[in-house]
Amino acid sequence: MTTETAHRAGAAGHAGGTGSWAVLLPAERYEAERLVHHDALELTGLTDVTRPAPGDQVAVLVDAPPRLVALGRVSAPSQRHREDPDDPQSPLEPGTLVVAYTRRAFDEPVPADLLTLDGPVTAVEPAAFRALADQLGPPPARRTWLVSLDLPIEAGTPAEAVRLFWSYVQELGPRELPAFVSPAGDELAMQAFVLGEQANQDPEEDD
């Protein structure tokens, strides 16, 4: 599969991967990217727009208001299937833009009000891109977390219970099942997350 590399005259993108771009993420795709970790972002249906070349740097934004949620670089689309939380068997389509993530900020987006977007893909001056990326600051220190998912399962055998467990996980997924997370060694700090956000699981606190 080939990738279109034609750009606007005078735009920031050039063949050879030296351009800077902003990609606008649809709201429903933003939710999916927050729920499940992906190494790359794949956007389809971009055959009729000016698109980045492999190696170009990309700022991934969401709108209303404009916010920066990730940084990445364009990579060439492959032929294999990818796991999409909304369509696990979907193949790569013509016009697919693949952005390999280099930094994620889905949980703490930063304002991008100074950028003017003119569509799903917009060329950005390198200085403006650097200024936007600098707002992210250094990445947070990595640490070990304990993540668990507890489901009461009625079954005749342990093996059947495990099979039913995975069936429920695949059917309900992160949109409905609460996952419990705590720093390793501090289980008392456990928090529940649903839909990528902290969720209260104590019905008494809701009263």
Side-chain angles (χ1 to χ4, degrees), residues 111-187:
D113 308 83
L114 297 182
L115 285 185
T116 300
L117 306 179
D118 56 10
V121 179
T122 303
V124 177
E125 291 297 328
F129 184 95
R130 288 192 299 270
L132 182 61
D134 287 345
Q135 294 187 58
L136 290 177
R142 300 184 69 83
R143 58 189 302 184
T144 300
W145 300 86
L146 298 179
V147 182
S148 62
L149 182 64
D150 297 323
L151 291 176
I153 304 292
E154 292 185 5
T157 66
E160 182 187 2
V162 172
R163 288 193 294 271
L164 288 170
F165 171 85
W166 288 118
S167 295
Y168 290 139
V169 170
Q170 291 179 341
E171 177 182 355
L172 300 177
R175 290 173 173 78
E176 298 186 43
L177 294 176
F180 300 91
V181 58
S182 64
D186 188 10
E187 285 73 16

Side-chain angles (χ1 to χ4, degrees), residues 93-106:
E93 301 175 4
T96 298
L97 172 64
V98 180
V99 178
Y101 288 121
T102 58
R103 176 73 189 279
R104 298 169 177 82
F106 290 107

Side-chain angles (χ1 to χ4, degrees), residues 24-36 38 41-44 60-64 67 69 84-87 101 106 120 174-175 195:
L24 189 59
L25 200 61
E28 64 278 4
R29 189 59 187 274
Y30 171 53
E31 177 184 299
E33 293 298 310
R34 290 189 63 212
L35 290 181
V36 179
H38 297 95
L41 169 69
E42 296 175 356
L43 295 176
T44 59
V60 182
L61 309 177
V62 293
D63 207 356
R67 290 159 292 157
V69 297
D84 187 299
D86 295 318
D87 188 4
Y101 288 121
F106 290 107
R175 290 173 173 78
L195 283 171

